[in-house]
Amino acid sequence: MNTIALSQTSLTPLKCKSSLSSSSVLKARKSSTTTTTKCINNNYNKMSSTAKEEDITLVIEQQNQKSLSSSSLQSKFARAAVGASLALSLALSPTSAALAANGLPDEEVKVLCDAECVKSLDSIEMVTTPSGLQYKDIIVGDGEMPPIGFQVVADYVAMNEKGLIFDNSVEKGKPNDIRLTGDPESATVIVGLDEGLLSMRSGGLRRLYIPGDLAFPKGLASAPGRPKIPPNSPVMFDVKLLYIPGLD
């Protein structure tokens, strides 16, 4: 009950008629008392009802304020989330965002055989040598074929059997000088690469499928950006014979 509302409520005076007879006076007094009591009760009930309504109104207002505060807080969180998302999208350059969406690396790696070239490999005949080396000529060179003991200048991209690159002279921007021996014991590079270059002509591009026994007998340790090559595991080389010093 609201005591403030109760103290501010005025009671309307009751008017009761009297009679000269004592019995009438007694009845009148009883009637007046009863009427007064009823009036007081009625006024009290009205004031109680008013106080309860005010209390209910106050509770409703408080709940509305809490609801508004909660909605305002949720709105702030929503705006913050949108802002964070926008900041993240702006932080990525359009190129980086597009590449990330397609699961591609941020920078394009330079290779000798791109995606279109890889597709064309299906239609190129596979050649297998007596040692177990296999290769496909993507481009047949029109230059000289290197004699044993000669040095050649070549670019190559070395990959594991899953196609992950572990060495790339094209990306480094520096071709390799390789002396070809034709001898597994004295080869300056892995045996499969030495053999594969010996049967190429300058200007040619070839993919070598090198079996484990012609690759890395001790394997290669992993490094940042380079996968591990287990001992005697097969590898692939895309190799381009640029020229043969002294002949080209």
Side-chain angles (χ1 to χ4, degrees):
M1 180 177 65
N2 194 326
T3 55
I4 297 177
L6 177 61
S7 63
Q8 292 177 348
T9 303
S10 60
L11 296 177
T12 304
L14 298 175
K15 297 181 180 181
C16 301
K17 295 182 180 181
S18 61
S19 178
L20 294 177
S21 63
S22 58
S23 59
S24 298
V25 171
L26 182 58
K27 290 179 180 180
R29 287 178 180 176
K30 291 181 178 180
S31 175
S32 176
T33 301
T34 303
T35 303
T36 301
T37 302
K38 290 181 178 180
C39 288
I40 292 174
N41 290 338
N42 289 337
N43 287 336
Y44 176 78
N45 290 336
K46 289 179 180 179
M47 289 185 290
S48 298
S49 177
T50 301
K52 289 179 180 179
E53 290 176 357
E54 291 179 358
D55 288 342
I56 292 172
T57 302
L58 180 61
V59 170
I60 292 174
E61 290 178 353
Q62 291 174 346
Q63 290 178 344
N64 289 337
Q65 290 176 356
K66 289 181 180 180
S67 177
L68 289 174
S69 299
S70 177
S71 298
S72 177
L73 185 61
Q74 291 176 356
S75 178
K76 289 180 180 179
F77 276 122
R79 288 196 298 270
V82 171
S85 177
L86 180 60
L88 180 60
S89 64
L90 291 176
L92 291 173
S93 65
T95 302
S96 297
L99 290 171
N102 289 284
L104 298 175
D106 289 344
E107 297 181 0
E108 184 178 354
V109 177
K110 296 177 181 178
V111 293
L112 291 172
C113 186
D114 59 15
E116 291 298 323
C117 170
V118 171
K119 290 180 181 179
S120 70
L121 288 173
D122 293 336
S123 60
I124 299 175
E125 181 183 358
M126 179 79 79
V127 178
T128 303
T129 70
S131 67
L133 174 70
Q134 294 183 310
Y135 64 84
K136 290 186 176 185
D137 279 320
I138 302 168
I139 299 174
V140 177
D142 56 1
E144 297 294 329
M145 185 177 291
I148 291 177
F150 268 65
Q151 182 172 297
V152 300
V153 178
D155 264 323
Y156 64 75
V157 177
M159 299 162 281
N160 66 8
E161 57 184 335
K162 295 181 179 179
L164 298 178
I165 297 174
F166 62 87
D167 196 5
N168 187 345
S169 68
V170 183
E171 188 70 18
K172 295 174 184 177
K174 185 179 180 181
N176 291 271
D177 296 330
I178 304 172
R179 186 171 297 280
L180 304 178
T181 69
D183 179 14
E185 298 297 328
S186 60
T188 60
V189 291
I190 60 172
V191 178
L193 179 57
D194 185 88
E195 180 185 343
L197 282 167
L198 275 171
S199 59
M200 291 182 68
R201 292 184 178 275
S202 57
L205 174 61
R206 175 178 288 183
R207 171 161 288 193
L208 301 172
Y209 301 87
I210 304 175
D213 59 337
L214 301 180
F216 298 93
K218 296 181 179 180
L220 293 175
S222 62
R226 186 182 77 185
K228 178 181 179 180
I229 306 299
N232 296 313
S233 62
V235 293
M236 295 184 295
F237 273 68
D238 288 337
V239 57
K240 184 173 185 179
L241 180 55
L242 300 176
Y243 64 94
I244 306 169
L247 293 181
D248 291 329

